[in-house]
Amino acid sequence: MSLRIYVDFKMPPDARQWLENNVGEHDLIFPMQPMTSVLSNAEPDPQFQTADVAFGQPSVESVEQATNLRWLSISSSGMTRYDNDAFRTLMQEQQTAVTHSATVFNRACALHAFSFMLAEARKLPEALQTQVAHSSPGWPDIRARSTLLEGDSVLIVGH
């Protein structure tokens, strides 16, 4: 069974070529105006109504009107615009599976959190804000309050 797969975001030419080469018997549908940010709202596209599968960030209104849609794969970890009882009920009634990419940024988010912890331990935000130079009067105080993370433990709880 051949599926019509709607992909609404802009991707590098090599990624698009890879997708086109590996989609098998299925048809890819690309919008005239691809999404450039997961935070913006997609423009309505009549082609979306023919899709069996959607990958990206389609507007809630487009998804609500898509009677052929069987799977919505949200291309980000966040799904705030879709996260409400009315949308969930509609997707259940239309028997449309909804997934998101919650783990796509796991490592990056963990490293980002760790970098902030390290910066705080070394008092980098304060040093940058005050622009205290080495050997200036404020430097010994900032340096004395800086710590190392040796022997410390951390637990990151989240997605």
Side-chain angles (χ1 to χ4, degrees):
M1 176 180 153
S2 180
L3 298 172
R4 292 181 55 79
I5 304 168
Y6 188 88
V7 181
D8 75 353
F9 54 90
K10 187 174 182 159
M11 61 182 80
D14 60 329
R16 181 174 171 153
Q17 188 63 55
W18 183 91
L19 186 59
E20 289 172 349
N21 291 343
N22 291 284
V23 75
E25 66 196 43
H26 308 294
D27 298 319
L28 289 173
I29 309 165
F30 295 99
M32 296 300 289
Q33 292 284 66
M35 296 272 298
T36 56
S37 168
V38 297
L39 300 177
S40 62
N41 282 321
E43 294 292 322
D45 186 337
Q47 297 181 95
F48 186 81
Q49 300 309 311
T50 68
D52 301 297
V53 176
F55 182 47
Q57 299 280 328
S59 71
V60 171
E61 295 77 22
S62 292
V63 174
E64 289 172 344
Q65 297 168 9
T67 57
N68 293 335
L69 193 63
R70 293 295 160 248
W71 179 21
L72 168 60
S73 180
I74 301 165
S75 60
S76 65
S77 58
M79 53 183 283
T80 302
R81 72 180 70 154
Y82 311 100
D83 191 17
N84 60 68
D85 289 337
F87 187 81
R88 282 191 290 278
T89 299
L90 180 66
M91 294 298 94
Q92 190 171 30
E93 289 170 359
Q94 291 181 352
Q95 296 182 333
T96 301
V98 179
T99 59
H100 59 99
S101 304
T103 61
V104 72
F105 297 116
N106 276 3
R107 292 182 70 190
C109 285
L111 288 172
H112 197 74
F114 182 70
S115 70
F116 279 110
M117 292 166 49
L118 187 57
E120 181 56 34
R122 301 303 301 155
K123 303 299 178 207
L124 294 181
E126 185 178 344
L128 287 171
Q129 184 179 21
T130 59
Q131 297 185 2
V132 174
H134 180 66
S135 300
S136 66
W139 179 253
D141 177 58
I142 289 175
R143 187 167 181 187
R145 290 184 291 111
S146 295
T147 61
L148 301 176
L149 297 180
E150 289 180 40
D152 290 350
S153 297
V154 65
L155 171 66
I156 299 175
V157 179
H159 284 295

